[in-house]
Amino acid sequence: MGSEIKIIDILIYSNLLIVPLSLFLMVVKNKLSNYFFATQFVFYQLSIYFLSVLYFLISIKTIKIGFLGLYISASLFFSSGCILYYLINKTVLLKKLKFEKRYLLHLIPVLVIVAYLFNNYNNSFAFKTNNVLFNFDELINLIYFQGKSNILIALRFLFPLIYMFLPTRLLIIYLRKTSTVIYPDQVKRFLLVLFISRITNYICFLVALITCFYEFMFIDEISKILFFIASLITPIYIIANPKIISVVTNFIVDSKKKENSPSENKDVFSILNSVITTNNLFLNSNYSIVNLSADSNISIVKIRETIKESGCNNYSEFINTFKINYANGLISEGYLDKFSIESLSKESGFQSEVTFYRIFKKINGCTPKEYKNKED
């Protein structure tokens, strides 16, 4: 048990040092034109950081139950962290860099919880006598269950669960399903790191709370260790990628600009079409999206977004449309009167006749021979 406590202490001190360092680097390394997302993220990190501070304070000096402000602030931080995690995902995925008044509605359940806690604390004998001391586990039990009240237990379990479900639903909708917006890999990794950290924290914290009812001390200690390890995931990622906040913010700002100028993507498509058709670059099987980006001087993110808006799912499908159009032209000129379909597939830039046949039928709705008969 002693070694486990030492591990927890190391993790706590690591949190106390690494979280402020990550926030400092974030402030120094990022030059932002909009501070809404960064502000959300800072407060989110602080909401998790508060638990480390609380544990540290209790480890050096046991806190009295009469310290009402500590419990209320702890409740506010824990509950606000759930809301902020949801709002961060919403800001990135829905590209909203502006505070909306309806966000305040999320504070209603938080205020209900705090009011309930305040009433219980204020009417408790222990609070009035101001002479009861608690260790960390007892303090968490007190803050979260307050005498094992069924109402408070329900609120404590349902509230974070709802605010895990909402952002997870957004992630599934906007990252996994087909969307007109292409999210850069850095943005995806950032959201994934947040998700892993948050879901691990949530699971470990629930386990720790359950052990308040049952004396599974080994599991309790393990859950606390994992909780504080998970709390280090995001700040360490920020230290390793100090400019990620700028990347995410710029992505949101650029996406908003694109939405406000729909004609821009039409111009981009014309440029891409011109570059690809010049010298029939689409016939080169090694001509990648990186090459196209270099030749057109358009970012890969922008190219992918334009490809999506053109109705294609990816770059390969986009290039294949040019190849099939080229094949259509050859058929119209009587190519199949002299050569085979296998030859036509190679002439059109395909390395496999089977692939050519499948894609040709998918795009044209008929086989090459049927297309030839229609042309005849």
Side-chain angles (χ1 to χ4, degrees), residues 4 22 26 49 76 97 99 302 330 347 375:
E4 292 172 0
S22 68
M26 192 188 80
Y49 184 64
L76 280 172
L97 278 176
F99 178 78
K302 183 64 179 177
L330 292 178
E347 189 70 23
E375 289 296 299

Side-chain angles (χ1 to χ4, degrees), residues 115-309:
Y116 188 87
L117 285 172
F118 181 84
N119 180 66
N120 278 17
Y121 292 144
N122 198 40
N123 293 328
S124 67
F125 174 78
F127 168 70
K128 291 179 179 179
T129 56
N130 196 31
N131 61 2
V132 179
L133 303 178
F134 284 87
N135 60 28
F136 182 77
D137 294 330
E138 291 169 330
L139 179 64
I140 294 298
N141 188 8
L142 178 70
I143 291 173
Y144 268 78
F145 290 130
Q146 186 57 45
K148 299 182 180 179
S149 164
N150 291 331
I151 295 176
L152 196 57
I153 291 172
L155 288 173
R156 287 306 192 186
F157 276 98
L158 290 176
F159 183 80
L161 183 63
I162 291 172
Y163 282 94
M164 274 303 304
F165 168 76
L166 292 175
T168 302
R169 178 175 173 271
L170 284 178
L171 287 170
I172 293 173
I173 292 174
Y174 285 89
L175 294 185
R176 296 196 62 179
K177 293 186 177 181
T178 302
S179 172
T180 57
V181 179
I182 304 299
Y183 294 90
D185 291 338
Q186 287 177 293
V187 175
K188 290 182 179 180
R189 280 195 295 269
F190 173 77
L191 294 176
L192 180 61
V193 167
L194 279 184
F195 175 78
I196 293 174
S197 176
R198 190 68 195 176
I199 193 66
T200 306
N201 276 339
Y202 176 66
I203 293 173
C204 293
F205 203 48
L206 285 183
V207 173
L209 293 177
I210 292 172
T211 56
C212 290
F213 290 92
Y214 308 98
E215 295 184 0
F216 301 132
M217 292 306 297
F218 180 75
I219 297 177
D220 182 36
E221 293 298 320
I222 293 295
S223 68
K224 282 188 289 187
I225 291 174
L226 292 177
F227 179 88
F228 289 114
I229 289 176
S231 299
L232 287 171
I233 293 175
T234 303
I236 289 176
Y237 179 78
I238 295 297
I239 292 174
N241 303 272
K243 295 184 179 180
I244 187 62
I245 304 302
S246 287
V247 172
V248 176
T249 302
N250 292 337
F251 160 71
I252 300 172
V253 172
D254 291 343
S255 296
K256 293 299 290 182
K257 288 180 180 179
K258 292 166 187 173
E259 289 176 1
N260 295 330
S261 55
S263 60
E264 181 182 341
N265 287 334
K266 294 182 181 179
D267 296 334
V268 171
F269 184 82
S270 298
I271 295 172
L272 296 178
N273 185 76
S274 176
V275 171
I276 291 173
T277 54
T278 300
N279 298 323
N280 292 336
L281 295 175
F282 56 88
L283 296 177
N284 183 355
S285 59
N286 295 321
Y287 192 75
S288 67
I289 191 171
V290 176
N291 301 127
L292 180 57
S293 176
D295 292 341
S296 63
N297 198 28
I298 298 172
S299 69
I300 293 177
V301 172
K302 183 64 179 177
I303 292 175
R304 285 175 173 164
E305 182 188 50
T306 304
I307 288 173
K308 284 280 187 179
E309 294 191 354

Side-chain angles (χ1 to χ4, degrees), residues 3-21:
S3 62
E4 292 172 0
I5 294 175
K6 184 178 291 185
I7 292 174
I8 292 177
D9 291 338
I10 293 173
L11 292 172
I12 295 300
Y13 290 128
S14 299
N15 268 277
L16 292 174
L17 294 174
I18 291 177
V19 173
L21 176 61

Side-chain angles (χ1 to χ4, degrees), residues 83 86-87 102-110 159 163 166:
I83 297 173
Y86 167 59
L87 293 180
R102 60 182 177 177
Y103 290 169
L104 295 175
L105 294 175
H106 294 285
L107 294 177
I108 294 178
V110 177
F159 183 80
Y163 282 94
L166 292 175

